[in-house]
Each structure stands twice: as structure tokens, then as C-alpha cells.
Amino acid sequence: MARQYTPVEMLRELVAFPTVSRDSNLALVDFVSTYLAEHGVEARLVQSDCGQKANLYATVGPNVEGGVVLSGHTDVVPVDGQDWSSDPFQVVEAEGKLYGRGTCDMKGFIAVALALVPRMGDLKQPIHLALSYDEEVGCLGAPRLIRAITRELPSVRAVIVGEPTSMQVVTGHKSMFIFETRVRGFEAHSSQQHRGVSAVMAAGRLVNWLGERQRGCAERAPANASFEPSYTTLHCGTIAGGTAHNITASECRFMTDVRALPGESAAEHFQAFEAFAQEVAAEMRDVNAGTGVDIEVRADVPGFEASEDDAAVVLAKQLTGQNDSRAVPYGAEAGQFQQAGHSVVICGPGSIDQAHQPDEYIETAQFAAGNRFVERLIARLS
Ligand SMILES: [Zn+2]
């Protein structure tokens, strides 16, 4: 007997899997595969290299061209250090809100799509479900999922990425380029600066360069850009180094993310950073030949920019009844789908303001709006 779930029941099931990006998502994927199989839908998995994670895709309805992909990520951000009023992995409903990690970003959208699978029996064109892993740590799982979909499925008319947009139609996001810098210094007593090389002081120069570069981007910001802020940002999010105030630090590491406007190359900023880092490293080596700067790229996620007459944008406008669209500053998998040649739009329930927060929630009204959106899509394709 095939199990049926209301959207809220499905959300409870999905949130109960603590699929924080650093941990396995296989239990959730297994649950979804079993559920889909009960409804006669075969799920296909695309494993991660470590074997602890998997993307899942599945075709509901006939295996023909012209279908629509509903895309979501299964991973959530950690709850470490956050002050939650209730268990983050149990959905709590109160005052028109559903609380729980991932309710908004973005198990809400996935729950709606899955709960409606039993209602997809009359589809003439398919709905493809595409669930990824590791979105929150740099969209690392999606590329192999998108390759599989593009290769294995009949061509699709649109990809809808259900990130929380408060059901607004989103046609752009910035690119995201993440890298780690490791500065290797040389230890000496801090009074002996001419013999030591402080990795912390060198890192300070490099971090300052990021700020200067961003100021330059802000000054050249294009007018009327639909992004807030309307320029490329360069940000150092974490830094660690040194052991004592009176020792020149032997090591300092920091993480940088560059969020570039579509059409602007994040790699170009990165290359300029690398060049400056080499200048700094040359000065360091003048004092001690064993010092240096190593840089490692962690993620390179393309930007996304769709035009108003793209098939996916037109479809999302029809399904939501909206005429306008906007762009968002946060990264998503839309650019990766677009790069693979798909027509893409971002539209999903919940507000990005509640994503990643303690006591993350989705308003039940938004959840219902997400449900209506997928119901209309089903009607449209039936
Ligand atoms: Zn998300």
C-alpha cells in the first residue's frame, strides 16, 4: 500500500533527517526513493566520490520531451552555536509558521513536490524531480546531477529551482567563487622583525586588498543594476593564525568569497588577488626563503541571468500570476543548470530572510502558495 503524505507530513519526515552538508544524506535519499517506488516512480542516484551522499533524480509521468524539472537541495546548514527554541530537526507548528532547520531552505519546496506525486497521474509531459547534495558548501553536488539529467532525460522545457524567493520570480543571481589562502611565515621573537616573517601581518595585507578591491567595484557599480548591492563583493569570512603576541606567526589561514555580478568574471578578481599574493610572497621570501602563500579554490559557481522571454521565466510568471521579476544576491544552482543549456528560473516558497537562522521557519501561507504553484504546474502539464 503506497503511503500518502500531506505536504506538512512530508515536511516533518524530511526535516527529521539531519542532512547538514558535512554529514550523509543517504537516509533521506533512501526514504524518498522508497516513497517514489511505492508510487511507481523509479529514482536514479548519482553518488558522491566519498559514497556518503547522493543526488537523486526521477521522472514522474511519461518519458517524453517538454517536461519541467523541479530542483532542490537536500542539505541544510548547521545548527551549531545557534540558540533554537525547539529541536531544529522536529517541525513545530505555531502561529502560522512551521519551524525547523530546512523548512524554508529548502525542504519546504521538496516536501510540496513529493507530497503531490500521487496527484501527477494524468501528466502528458513529465515532471522531473532533481534533488542535490552539498549546495550549502558551494553547489558541489549539482554539477554531476545536472550532467546526468542533461545526458539521460529527454530535453526539458524548463528548470524551476525552488529556493526561497517568497514565490517571486527570480531571473538572476551572482556567481560565487570561494578560495582558501594559507600564508606560511617564519617564527622569531616579535622584537626581531628583520629575522621573522609574520603570516598574520602578511594575511592582513591580503585581506585589506580584498576590501580595497571591493571599494573599487562599488565605485564602478553599474546604474540600475537589479542586484542589492549592485556591485561585486569580496569578503573574508574566517581567519585564524598565530600563537602569541610576541612571536611572528608561522601560519595564517583565511577563507574568501567573491560574489560577482553576472557578466563580470569572479576569476578575474581571483587572478588579480593571486598576483598581489605573489608580490607579498616575494617580499616574505627576501627575509626567509621557506615562507610563501598557497591558495586553493574551493568552489566556482557560475552566475545566473535569464531574460524575460525565457521559457522557464514565462512559465513561472504564468504559474504565480506575476508580471515582474527580480534578481537575488545569494548563489544557487540556477547558473549551473543554465550553463548546461537549460532554461531556468528560481521560484520557491519561504523568505531568504529566515534561511540559515536559528528558529528557521516557513510561513504556512507561503507553504500553501508553494503547494498551489506545483498544483498549477501539474494541471498545466496534464
Ligand atoms: Zn538553499
Side-chain angles (χ1 to χ4, degrees):
M1 172 79 182
R3 280 171 295 177
Q4 307 258 353
Y5 296 85
T6 66
V8 174
E9 286 167 353
M10 182 58 81
L11 184 63
R12 286 184 196 286
E13 296 284 341
L14 297 181
V15 169
F17 295 103
T19 49
V20 176
S21 310
R22 64 179 173 237
D23 299 322
S24 173
N25 75 338
L26 293 182
L28 181 150
V29 164
D30 188 53
F31 164 78
V32 173
S33 301
T34 304
Y35 166 77
L36 289 174
E38 286 174 4
H39 292 277
V41 177
E42 184 203 351
R44 285 184 268 184
L45 305 188
V46 185
Q47 301 273 351
S48 67
D49 288 335
C50 70
Q52 292 306 303
K53 298 169 188 176
N55 299 301
L56 177 155
Y57 68 102
T59 297
V60 190
N63 195 32
V64 298
E65 291 187 359
V68 173
V69 175
L70 299 181
S71 152
H73 60 81
T74 61
D75 61 320
V76 295
V77 294
V79 297
D80 310 57
Q82 291 190 338
D83 190 14
W84 280 73
S85 312
S86 58
D87 181 346
F89 299 106
Q90 297 294 324
V91 171
V92 172
E93 188 166 4
E95 289 159 355
K97 293 167 182 162
L98 294 154
Y99 292 91
R101 174 55 85 226
T103 49
C104 170
D105 185 12
M106 58 175 290
K107 290 176 172 174
F109 180 76
I110 298 174
V112 161
L114 288 174
L116 286 171
V117 164
R119 306 257 304 272
M120 298 180 187
D122 296 326
L123 290 176
K124 294 193 174 61
Q125 285 162 319
I127 291 178
H128 309 283
L129 305 172
L131 309 183
S132 68
Y133 63 85
D134 277 358
E135 193 272 351
E136 296 288 6
V137 287
C139 300
L140 304 179
R144 60 181 70 191
L145 170 64
I146 294 168
R147 274 199 298 278
I149 284 175
T150 308
R151 193 178 57 226
E152 303 292 338
L153 298 183
S155 77
V156 299
R157 77 167 84 172
V159 176
I160 299 172
V161 178
E163 287 281 346
T165 67
S166 304
M167 295 312 300
Q168 290 184 286
V169 177
V170 166
T171 55
H173 69 63
K174 290 182 176 177
S175 65
M176 183 170 64
F177 195 95
I178 304 170
F179 57 92
E180 180 170 31
T181 306
R182 177 176 169 236
V183 185
R184 287 174 287 112
F186 183 71
E187 285 190 334
H189 192 280
S190 62
S191 65
Q192 301 293 296
Q193 294 276 340
H194 59 296
R195 293 198 298 111
V197 178
S198 168
V200 166
M201 298 289 282
R205 291 178 63 189
L206 297 175
V207 172
N208 187 56
W209 183 94
L210 298 171
E212 293 295 331
R213 185 83 174 182
Q214 179 174 312
R215 270 186 283 283
C217 290
E219 279 162 20
R220 293 193 313 275
N224 299 325
S226 40
F227 289 94
E228 173 68 39
S230 65
Y231 49 85
T232 295
T233 57
L234 298 93
H235 175 251
C236 169
T238 62
I239 187 164
T243 50
H245 73 89
N246 54 2
I247 303 173
T248 56
S250 65
E251 188 178 84
C252 188
R253 290 169 179 266
F254 61 94
M255 292 289 294
T256 303
D257 85 12
V258 180
R259 307 216 170 210
L261 295 171
E264 203 176 303
S265 162
E268 208 170 286
H269 295 291
F270 174 67
Q271 282 154 16
F273 175 83
E274 270 188 317
F276 179 65
Q278 287 318 315
E279 274 175 44
V280 172
E283 290 175 35
M284 292 163 65
R285 276 195 300 274
D286 286 345
V287 181
N288 184 293
T291 60
V293 180
D294 307 311
I295 305 169
E296 203 178 310
V297 175
R298 291 296 175 82
D300 182 3
V301 184
F304 164 55
E305 193 167 32
S307 68
E308 298 298 318
D309 53 5
D310 268 5
V313 176
V314 172
L315 176 65
K317 284 181 175 175
Q318 288 167 347
L319 295 175
T320 57
Q322 289 171 25
N323 289 319
D324 53 350
S325 65
R326 65 192 183 103
V328 293
Y330 52 89
E333 296 168 346
Q336 295 170 319
F337 273 104
Q338 189 176 46
Q339 207 171 51
H342 297 289
S343 176
V344 193
V345 69
I346 309 176
C347 186
S351 163
I352 196 68
D353 296 346
Q354 277 91 49
H356 302 194
Q357 300 286 327
D359 292 339
E360 174 180 347
Y361 67 83
I362 186 168
E363 289 179 0
T364 48
Q366 273 294 310
F367 196 55
N371 197 60
R372 279 196 302 280
F373 179 79
V374 179
E375 280 177 342
R376 284 192 198 120
L377 176 65
I378 296 169
R380 183 68 190 268
L381 299 179
S382 295

